[in-house]
Amino acid sequence: MVFNLLHLWHVGATLSKTDAKKLQKVEAQSSPAELSVLDRGLVVADVQWKDIVKEERRYCAHIKKTFEGPVLGYITPWNAHGYDIAKQFGSKLSSVSPVWLQLRRRAPGTFDVTGLHDHDAGWVKAVRKSNKKVRMVPRVLFDGWSYQDYMSVFGSEDEIEELSGELVDVAKTEGFDGFTLELWSQLGGNKRKELIHLVKHICETLNAKKLDCILVIPPAVTSAGTPGMFGREEFEELAPVVDGFSLMTYDYSSGPRAGPSSPLSWIRDCVLQLAPNTQWRQKILLGMNLYGLDFSSHGTEPVLGGRYIEILREQRPKILWDEYSAEHHFSYKRSSAVKHVVYYPSLKSIHMRISLATELGTGISLWEMGQGLDYFYDLL
């Protein structure tokens, strides 16, 4: 997902000793709660930083799925907390997509799936124990492909057969339930008819072996309001054979200007552009980011849960609610006097996106599970 930012996900600044002394003595509670965050009155627009620090580890002890649609959760090898979250909240997930694999074209007709050394069979077993029905669908990134590689494969039914067969073989050998394919954005919106043909063939081959085929797709509407690289025409052609469309409805504001990650009205628009009718809409997995962004004149950095709590303790900010985007944000200055603006998901913002998914009849995809706060999962 968001492959152009992958290498940034684990970036985080550490606090100096001086900063550390300023941290507030707010006692973080970690034992599970009897009541959910909704029943504890925590899902509010007027949220206080102290309440987040105090409560974020306290999820409801009675773990039960409340969202009716499918939920796909991504896991990354560089964020170990996600592995624990998937085991803890496995009963709330329909599918888990560990970001492990790459598909490489070694020579004409020769394909190789790499990254299998990351396959943690013990962890997979533990996740399946928490939910016998969960589908393990690792992400496969079409990695290191040149434009000529794509053209050669598009022009050869034999190569498409070989590629699809390699994926089936790996799934059977490794005990996977299918794959999540990431290839659409690599060609920048070009060669769509050829991509449709390739994806159809892969998905039909996987489906014939009772394996799932999920496709990662970019937003149907860009942040500038123009049509994206994947639209209604592509969606309707692929919907009969693709089991789920992992829709990347985040990174709306990823440049130097501070702004929301996924305005609610934009998410709605992205879904309705693809599926104005409800026929295939249940196959859309509305993307929710569990990371935030810290904007400053020095650049934009991703913020994960642990770093977010550090900033709250250090800065004690007034957290503001943006009614338009339905997201929380705050600003702070460090010793350098450079102004920072942070947008990070909250119980309120997540609750509104889950409500939107329920209203539209879509599923949900979470990028990615180790990046959020533990009590977020009460809402699923």
Side-chain angles (χ1 to χ4, degrees):
M1 296 303 308
V2 203
F3 55 87
N4 57 325
L5 282 179
L6 277 179
H7 66 289
L8 290 175
W9 284 155
H10 48 69
V11 173
T14 54
L15 298 173
S16 68
K17 287 181 181 176
T18 313
D19 292 331
K21 285 179 184 173
K22 287 159 55 182
L23 299 185
Q24 287 295 291
K25 300 290 184 189
V26 174
E27 201 66 36
Q29 299 184 16
S30 56
S31 58
E34 273 302 304
L35 299 175
S36 76
V37 290
L38 280 164
D39 294 332
R40 275 149 52 208
L42 296 174
V43 184
V44 293
D46 184 23
V47 66
Q48 306 298 310
W49 73 267
K50 286 183 180 180
D51 291 333
I52 298 173
V53 170
K54 181 181 173 186
E55 298 282 348
E56 52 102 5
R57 293 183 186 173
R58 297 191 71 218
Y59 55 86
C60 180
H62 312 288
I63 298 173
K64 184 183 174 189
K65 188 172 189 276
T66 54
F67 176 68
E68 291 184 1
V71 178
L72 167 68
Y74 287 94
I75 304 293
T76 58
W78 52 86
N79 195 346
H81 188 52
Y83 285 86
D84 296 331
I85 290 289
K87 289 188 290 187
Q88 186 75 44
F89 299 103
S91 61
K92 292 176 179 266
L93 304 172
S94 315
S95 307
V96 177
S97 184
V99 178
W100 287 338
L101 308 179
Q102 306 82 38
L103 179 72
R104 303 181 190 276
R105 181 175 181 260
R106 299 297 188 193
T110 305
F111 299 91
D112 189 16
V113 172
T114 58
L116 289 166
H117 60 275
D118 280 324
H119 179 192
D120 184 339
W123 169 77
V124 171
K125 187 177 178 183
V127 175
R128 292 194 191 281
K129 187 177 178 184
S130 72
N131 180 359
K132 289 181 175 62
K133 293 181 179 178
V134 77
R135 304 288 283 177
M136 199 60 59
V137 285
R139 190 198 68 170
V140 178
L141 179 66
F142 282 51
D143 197 31
W145 283 51
S146 67
Y147 184 75
Q148 191 52 52
D149 285 328
Y150 280 105
M151 291 307 103
S152 299
V153 171
F154 290 155
S156 168
E157 293 300 310
D158 288 345
E159 288 223 44
I160 294 174
E161 289 276 353
E162 288 289 339
L163 187 162
S164 305
E166 173 67 14
L167 290 175
V168 168
D169 290 346
V170 169
K172 294 301 182 186
T173 304
E174 301 289 329
F176 299 144
D177 299 307
F179 295 102
T180 301
L181 307 176
E182 179 152 9
L183 75 159
W184 197 273
S185 297
Q186 267 81 326
L187 287 172
N190 297 309
K191 300 293 176 184
R192 297 191 195 187
K193 281 188 167 53
E194 291 85 348
L195 277 167
I196 287 171
H197 179 70
L198 173 61
V199 171
K200 265 187 181 176
H201 194 111
I202 294 172
C203 289
E204 285 168 353
T205 304
L206 291 172
N207 291 163
K209 300 294 183 181
K210 295 186 167 46
L211 297 168
D212 296 348
C213 186
I214 293 170
L215 179 66
V216 178
I217 57 170
V221 183
T222 69
S223 54
T226 56
M229 293 187 284
F230 188 97
R232 181 180 176 184
E233 185 181 339
E234 291 78 27
F235 177 75
E236 289 182 348
E237 280 226 44
L238 287 170
V241 295
V242 172
D243 295 298
F245 294 87
S246 184
L247 177 61
M248 294 162 58
T249 34
Y250 35 77
D251 284 343
Y252 181 86
S253 308
S254 54
R257 288 185 62 183
S261 292
S262 60
L264 201 65
S265 59
W266 174 68
I267 299 175
R268 178 190 294 274
D269 197 17
C270 285
V271 171
L272 294 180
Q273 286 292 331
L274 292 178
N277 308 311
T278 58
Q279 184 184 5
W280 301 110
R281 207 185 281 167
Q282 77 279 5
K283 291 194 174 190
I284 296 174
L285 304 171
L286 186 153
M288 284 173 32
N289 56 294
L290 297 181
Y291 61 90
L293 292 172
D294 185 330
F295 299 87
S296 77
S297 58
H298 291 165
T300 304
E301 286 193 350
V303 178
L304 311 191
R307 174 65 185 141
Y308 179 64
I309 297 301
E310 270 188 353
I311 297 172
L312 292 182
R313 283 181 175 277
E314 176 194 354
Q315 300 293 336
R316 312 184 297 268
K318 179 170 177 55
I319 300 174
L320 304 173
W321 175 249
D322 176 6
E323 198 72 47
Y324 165 71
S325 67
E327 293 188 30
H328 277 109
H329 61 97
F330 62 84
S331 58
Y332 72 93
K333 285 185 180 178
R334 303 205 58 190
S335 51
S336 61
V338 172
K339 183 184 178 183
H340 290 250
V341 176
V342 173
Y343 279 80
Y344 188 85
S346 62
L347 290 170
K348 177 75 171 174
S349 71
I350 289 173
H351 186 246
M352 290 187 73
R353 280 149 184 77
I354 292 172
S355 297
L356 178 63
T358 299
E359 176 200 330
L360 295 176
T362 71
I364 286 170
S365 54
L366 304 170
W367 182 269
E368 49 91 350
M369 293 188 67
Q371 296 175 342
L373 304 177
D374 291 0
Y375 71 173
F376 287 168
Y377 295 93
D378 274 11
L379 298 172
L380 282 172

